[in-house]
Amino acid sequence: MNGGRVILADEPTGALDSRSGRETMKLLTELHAEGHTIIVVTHDMQVANYAGRIIEIRDGEIVADRPNGDVSAPTSRALPEEKPKGNGLRAGIDKSKELLRMALVAMAAHKLRTFLTMLEQFAFELREGAALSQTLSRQGAALPAPPFFILFARCCRHHHRHRLGRLGSGPGARLPAASAERHQRHRHPCHQLFPGKDFGDRDAQSIHTLVPADADTLAQLSFVDSVTPKVSSSITLRYRNIAVSASVSGVGSQYFRVYGYEIAQGRAFEDEAIQRHIQGAVIDQNTRKRLFGEAGDPLGQVILLGSVPCRVIGVTKAKQSPFGNSEDLNIWIPYTTAMSRLLGQAYLQSITVRVSDGAPMKAAEQGILNLLTQRHRLRDFFVMNTDTIRKTIESTTATMTLLISAIAVISLVVGGIGVMNIMLVSVTERTREIGVRMAVGARRNDIMSQFLIEAVLVCLLGGILGILLALSIGVIFAKIGSSFSMVYSTTSMVAAFACSTLLGVVFGFLPARNAARLDPVEALARE
């Protein structure tokens, strides 16, 4: 049945009429001619005469062993050692198709059980299909970019109280621009120098120690990449009949490099604008949309910052924060213009120093502290290293990734155990089927292949359903206009799909081996 080289025939014509007997012997003769060795046990000398060699046995002993010169069978030829390559490939394909068909039939016969097993892989693919790392990156958790320091002088306390008071103060409350900007700073390692001895110092409001000369001096340090002074205030912004609350910041010409802003339209102001106190403004995308609409061109338009008119010379590109996007309206003007024409003050609220790439952060921090202490003749500020914040975010991201990975591994193992358990049950239920298949010629590797294919199919179908559901959820979120968006990684989905295949092979091997090692006699006698 499986193409054996030796065929044993025990009384092949014993229960047949003479015509059927001749047909059977003709078949055996043809097989012999193809190269098979035919061994026939018979009591009929006419049947024995088909053989080329006759051995007579009486009472368990050989009494004669002679060649049969009168045999009329055609001359036999030896079977080739290897089957032709084309036939072997074709046989392998046919065998795979048959095993796949039998696996599908077996799965279809137990639809509910198969579906419940798929749910294990369904959940795994759903978690892995949407790549967590890319989602975190979309939200700004990726923290590349050059380091910088933030130096805050002691500034007016009621100004901060006013801005902090806007937090959660009603339906229209927004995150203050300072907070949004601080979120942007978290994208770079930096040091923040605040006024006083620590947060909450009551004397901070009375000390105005930072001046533009400090920024000029810091810019001369060898490890400094760029420096920008900063003053800020909340003002009423007007354009034609539109009046809104906005945050205006007086900054230096290098501000946009320090904070990593890119200009989408127009240009940023330069050193000459700082020296001449020009009334030019750079606005963000929120301000552009609020004042000029989606399609409006703000360049060259005049807006009122309180009572000070300024002409819009540039618009920044939208920039995402690790803590979500701020809805604040932000305007940047030269710090000299802000100090002289808007705030009427001679001191700065902060100085931001971006350190050159590769410069040691600790050494840079100490150099800046020593320089400012020498200039101020006392330590009237304290330092908060935002590089620590960056590292904390990275550590949190790594911890979350590890946690999600651990959950995925646990679900993978649980899913694999579920597959193995169901397949073991299937082997037990199908013992008779396995016995019958073996009795009619199925080899052990045929049985093992069948059950392995079933296990892999269950995992793959569950994986496909999981990926499709993940994609569907993303489409639903996009349709309903949710602020939450799912970011998909093809690599992650392919990797998860490969894991499903591996899961079926690994956890399906034990049940498949148990099925293949069943004895056909015992399997048939068990039921």
Side-chain angles (χ1 to χ4, degrees):
M1 185 171 292
N2 287 318
R5 294 178 178 272
V6 178
I7 298 176
L8 306 179
D10 185 10
E11 293 286 0
T13 63
L16 301 179
D17 59 75
S18 58
R19 180 179 178 182
S20 298
R22 286 192 298 271
E23 292 293 332
T24 299
M25 293 311 300
K26 180 181 178 182
L27 176 61
L28 291 176
T29 301
E30 292 174 356
L31 289 172
H32 173 56
E34 292 176 3
H36 297 275
T37 297
I38 312 296
I39 300 177
V40 178
V41 179
T42 181
H43 290 84
D44 189 344
M45 186 55 67
Q46 291 183 358
V47 173
N49 285 331
Y50 280 88
R53 175 183 176 186
I54 300 174
I55 301 173
E56 293 185 30
I57 300 177
R58 182 180 294 115
D59 298 330
E61 294 182 2
I62 296 177
V63 296
D65 184 353
R66 66 180 184 276
N68 183 17
D70 297 332
V71 62
S72 59
T75 304
S76 64
R77 67 177 187 275
L79 288 175
E81 290 298 323
E82 294 184 3
K83 294 182 179 180
K85 185 175 180 180
N87 293 343
L89 178 61
R90 181 64 184 177
I93 294 175
D94 291 341
K95 177 181 176 181
S96 299
K97 288 182 178 179
E98 180 65 16
L99 289 174
L100 179 61
R101 186 189 67 80
M102 295 183 67
L104 291 173
V105 169
M107 292 169 59
H110 302 87
K111 297 183 181 64
L112 180 59
R113 185 174 67 189
T114 302
F115 176 74
L116 293 176
T117 309
M118 287 180 187
L119 289 182
E120 300 284 355
Q121 302 317 304
F122 181 88
F124 172 71
E125 294 286 345
L126 182 59
R127 283 188 292 270
E128 294 299 306
L132 175 65
S133 59
Q134 288 200 18
T135 302
L136 291 176
S137 176
R138 174 68 64 88
Q139 296 302 326
L143 303 170
F148 61 80
F149 297 96
I150 307 297
L151 286 74
F152 282 100
R154 297 177 177 177
C155 51
C156 182
R157 175 171 296 176
H158 77 82
H159 171 67
H160 283 288
R161 243 199 320 262
H162 167 70
R163 303 190 67 171
L164 292 174
R166 293 169 59 196
L167 276 172
S169 59
R174 301 187 308 273
L175 182 68
S179 299
E181 188 172 89
R182 188 170 300 169
H183 293 166
Q184 298 289 356
R185 290 197 298 265
H186 292 163
R187 299 175 70 89
H188 312 272
C190 63
H191 291 78
Q192 296 179 336
L193 280 77
F194 295 93
K197 298 177 181 179
D198 204 341
F199 288 111
D201 186 354
R202 298 177 62 183
D203 296 329
Q205 62 180 343
S206 61
I207 301 178
H208 308 144
T209 55
L210 290 182
V211 293
D214 290 332
D216 296 336
T217 304
L218 289 171
Q220 303 305 314
L221 294 174
S222 60
F223 54 81
V224 171
D225 177 88
S226 50
V227 178
T228 178
K230 182 175 180 292
V231 293
S232 61
S233 178
S234 296
I235 52 96
T236 299
L237 174 64
R238 293 183 176 86
Y239 174 70
R240 295 182 179 176
N241 62 336
I242 301 174
V244 294
S245 294
S247 173
V248 59
S249 298
V251 298
S253 59
Q254 295 181 328
Y255 173 88
F256 302 98
R257 171 173 174 77
V258 171
Y259 284 93
Y261 281 99
E262 297 181 16
I263 302 299
Q265 295 177 259
R267 58 183 175 83
F269 37 79
E270 301 175 351
D271 290 336
E272 183 182 358
I274 305 294
Q275 297 170 3
R276 294 175 53 191
H277 298 219
I278 70 163
Q279 294 172 219
V282 177
I283 63 175
D284 65 359
Q285 290 292 333
N286 292 338
T287 306
R288 181 187 68 80
K289 293 176 183 178
R290 189 67 179 272
L291 298 183
F292 305 100
E294 291 287 349
D297 184 8
L299 297 182
Q301 301 298 325
V302 176
I303 57 178
L304 286 177
L305 308 181
S307 58
V308 178
C310 289
R311 188 178 301 277
V312 178
I313 63 172
V315 182
T316 62
K317 290 183 179 180
K319 186 176 180 182
Q320 293 185 342
S321 163
F323 301 91
N325 297 326
S326 171
E327 298 297 326
D328 268 0
L329 309 184
N330 295 293
I331 304 98
W332 298 278
I333 63 175
Y335 71 91
T336 51
T337 304
M339 293 169 64
S340 61
R341 301 183 180 180
L342 194 64
L343 301 177
Q345 65 185 47
Y347 59 90
L348 302 173
Q349 293 172 355
S350 68
I351 296 176
T352 305
V353 181
R354 171 173 165 171
V355 178
S356 300
D357 295 341
M361 291 296 292
K362 288 292 184 182
E365 174 187 351
Q366 192 60 47
I368 292 173
L369 290 177
N370 291 341
L371 178 60
L372 285 183
T373 302
Q374 182 180 359
R375 286 182 57 83
H376 296 178
R377 299 182 183 277
L378 76 162
R379 179 70 64 84
D380 53 1
F381 49 84
F382 68 95
V383 180
M384 184 184 74
N385 186 353
T386 58
D387 187 46
T388 304
I389 299 175
R390 179 186 65 86
K391 291 179 179 178
T392 300
I393 295 175
E394 289 179 341
S395 176
T396 302
T397 302
T399 302
M400 288 297 297
T401 302
L402 180 61
L403 176 62
I404 296 299
S405 299
I407 294 173
V409 169
I410 292 172
S411 68
L412 185 67
V413 173
V414 171
I417 293 173
V419 170
M420 184 169 61
N421 184 56
I422 293 299
M423 293 308 297
L424 286 171
V425 171
S426 179
V427 170
T428 303
E429 290 182 349
R430 297 161 62 186
T431 300
R432 183 173 180 83
E433 172 195 334
I434 297 169
V436 170
R437 289 202 62 201
M438 287 183 168
V440 296
R443 297 181 177 90
R444 286 188 172 182
N445 64 337
D446 297 327
I447 303 297
M448 179 174 286
S449 299
Q450 178 186 348
F451 281 87
L452 278 177
I453 289 175
E454 288 184 28
V456 171
L457 281 177
V458 168
C459 294
L460 289 183
L461 291 176
I464 292 173
L465 289 176
I467 291 176
L468 291 177
L469 180 61
L471 295 173
S472 300
I473 292 175
V475 172
I476 292 173
F477 277 122
K479 292 292 185 181
I480 63 177
S482 172
S483 59
F484 175 81
S485 61
M486 296 181 68
V487 183
Y488 297 96
S489 165
T490 303
T491 302
S492 295
M493 288 190 284
V494 171
F497 203 70
C499 283
S500 288
T501 306
L502 182 63
L503 181 74
V505 173
V506 171
F507 288 93
F509 176 76
L510 179 61
R513 189 189 67 167
N514 289 351
R517 298 175 78 177
L518 285 175
D519 184 271
V521 176
E522 294 182 1
L524 290 171
R526 190 174 297 180
E527 297 185 13

